[in-house]
Amino acid sequence: MMRAVLHDEPWDLRMKDTIFLLGVLMLLTACPVEAWSSSAKGMAAFEDVCARADEYDCYVNHKYGYALAWPKRHLRPLGESDAGDGQVFAAPDGRAELRCWGSFGIAAQQTIPEAMTQAMAEPGRKVTYKHAGGDFFVLSGYVEDRIFYRRSVLAHGVLATFELTYDAPLKELFDPLIRDISAGFIIDPAFGLHGVHDE
């Protein structure tokens, strides 16, 4: 959301805001929406999940340009990390946790098979399901006595990941939510347009 421009602000500050907005408009005009979004289908799925405001809230990471729908009836946000790469959402009783993070650079230069192999090698994990596509991978299984589900997506030079872990007795509660959380997880450069959101 843009901040309001006050008339008592210095002229050069108002001019900078105007020039920035004109630049954004020129970029959006020059590049069709399809070129900016991961896919029209992916964005529609994300919007459908986030529209269910009684069940989900949506976290947007402006640094890496990804967004995640999280189940607000079951989890609470603990705040964005100091590095600005993601956030943790936890159940009040500590029996479930959803983490999301992103990266540029070396990690984002990995291929999906390399990133998947690295994730599978993390200590203490027993992977019982794995699947990879051209721009994503999914892992599921057990970490200690908890169930985990991890999805990583590679797009626009960003590798973004979410991981949901929960106590095994909560399987019936959280398994159906995974579909919505996955649909509500998207990378899109529009989310990373610095200066348009509230600081």
Side-chain angles (χ1 to χ4, degrees), residues 107-125:
Q109 299 304 317
Q110 290 179 314
T111 65
I112 285 297
E114 290 169 341
M116 185 170 155
T117 299
Q118 183 179 2
M120 289 176 60
E122 290 179 11
R125 293 182 180 261

Side-chain angles (χ1 to χ4, degrees), residues 11 21 52 61 97 129 134 141 150 156 173 177:
W11 182 85
L21 289 175
R52 293 168 27 209
N61 183 281
E97 183 177 271
Y129 174 81
R150 176 185 283 199
H156 307 289
L173 174 65
L177 299 177

Side-chain angles (χ1 to χ4, degrees), residues 13-160:
L13 183 59
R14 288 193 315 248
M15 183 56 86
K16 285 180 185 176
D17 285 347
T18 302
I19 291 170
F20 176 79
L21 289 175
L22 286 173
V24 170
L25 290 173
M26 287 172 48
L27 283 172
L28 292 174
T29 304
C31 302
V33 172
E34 291 78 19
W36 276 88
S37 65
S38 303
S39 75
K41 183 179 177 182
M43 185 59 81
F46 167 75
E47 290 172 351
D48 285 348
V49 175
C50 288
R52 293 168 27 209
D54 59 325
E55 299 174 70
Y56 292 94
D57 206 344
C58 292
Y59 163 70
V60 176
N61 183 281
H62 296 286
K63 182 175 181 178
Y64 293 101
Y66 71 87
L68 173 78
W70 57 276
K72 67 182 188 180
R73 291 181 182 171
H74 308 290
L75 305 175
R76 301 288 175 262
L78 300 183
E80 193 164 59
S81 69
D82 291 341
D85 63 344
Q87 187 160 175
V88 176
F89 306 88
D93 62 5
R95 297 180 66 200
E97 183 177 271
L98 175 63
R99 292 179 174 268
C100 59
W101 64 93
S103 62
F104 293 127
I106 295 170
Q109 299 304 317
Q110 290 179 314
T111 65
I112 285 297
E114 290 169 341
M116 185 170 155
T117 299
Q118 183 179 2
M120 289 176 60
E122 290 179 11
R125 293 182 180 261
K126 179 182 176 189
V127 175
T128 59
Y129 174 81
K130 62 182 179 177
H131 177 72
D135 62 352
F136 76 96
F137 73 86
V138 170
L139 298 176
S140 185
Y142 296 90
V143 57
E144 298 173 7
D145 59 344
R146 299 181 114 189
I147 296 171
F148 82 90
Y149 179 92
R150 176 185 283 199
R151 181 178 183 89
S152 291
V153 178
L154 180 62
H156 307 289
V158 172
L159 180 65

